[in-house]
Amino acid sequence: MKKHCMGRVVAASAVLVSSGAIAFVPASAASATEADCDGIGVIGVFKAVESGASFNYNGRRVELQNESALDRYSRAEIKSGRKAGDRLWVDRSFHAFPDFKGIVSDQSAKSDGWKMCGPYTGSRTQSVFNANYAARACAEIDGTTLCGKWYVD
């Protein structure tokens, strides 16, 4: 049975920026709860994922970060430039990629639905379980909703 994220994130066609690093999503983030996150207060060493999964926008550095010791969790963080009113969340696909690591397409990541951990108004989200799943960092900055590329760790 397929799982779908109904009403949490509006599915919309995204316009990719010339670098392909960020997608502008016309709808603002709906509210999810901490129950949609998989790891509350995960302690570990988190490192930024590049290749378009992390991005810069309007003076902010938004990172998708993966926990490097156990390699089981991802989170999003506004690393620099955060301002009052910024919102941040991390999406995680329900589609598993057991034999792949790296960037996947939006269509492939969303094929079995996805969930949203957040949004948060602080500088960092809680964590989602990322083993074999795609995750992406998203933010609402100055009224514009943006997401990095989906990354499988």
Side-chain angles (χ1 to χ4, degrees):
M1 180 169 151
K2 289 187 177 183
K3 297 179 185 179
H4 296 281
C5 181
M6 295 186 186
R8 291 192 196 140
V9 175
V10 176
S13 19
V15 178
L16 295 178
V17 177
S18 61
S19 70
I22 10 180
F24 289 86
V25 183
S28 64
S31 292
T33 67
E34 264 191 357
D36 295 304
C37 305
D38 301 314
I40 307 303
V42 173
I43 297 171
V45 176
F46 284 81
K47 294 184 180 180
V49 177
E50 297 303 333
S51 303
S54 298
F55 58 93
N56 297 304
Y57 181 76
N58 232 16
R60 276 71 146 199
R61 171 71 181 160
V62 179
E63 292 182 351
L64 175 67
Q65 299 176 341
N66 286 339
E67 194 275 323
S68 58
L70 299 175
D71 201 23
R72 297 171 53 102
Y73 291 97
S74 291
R75 68 183 184 197
E77 182 174 355
I78 297 179
K79 198 68 174 172
S80 62
R82 189 179 74 80
K83 295 180 182 174
D86 289 351
R87 297 188 330 148
L88 179 69
W89 63 97
V90 61
D91 290 336
R92 205 231 45 211
S93 72
F94 289 127
H95 184 94
F97 299 87
D99 299 316
F100 182 80
K101 189 173 190 167
I103 300 294
V104 295
S105 72
D106 191 60
Q107 180 181 10
S108 184
K110 292 179 178 178
S111 65
D112 291 334
W114 75 100
K115 67 180 181 173
M116 175 179 156
C117 169
Y120 293 89
T121 56
S123 61
R124 182 181 302 148
T125 68
Q126 294 295 340
S127 300
V128 293
F129 184 75
N130 72 356
N132 298 326
Y133 297 99
R136 69 178 179 178
C138 297
E140 185 177 39
I141 297 172
D142 299 330
T144 301
T145 301
L146 315 107
C147 292
K149 291 182 178 181
W150 290 95
Y151 182 79
V152 179
D153 188 35

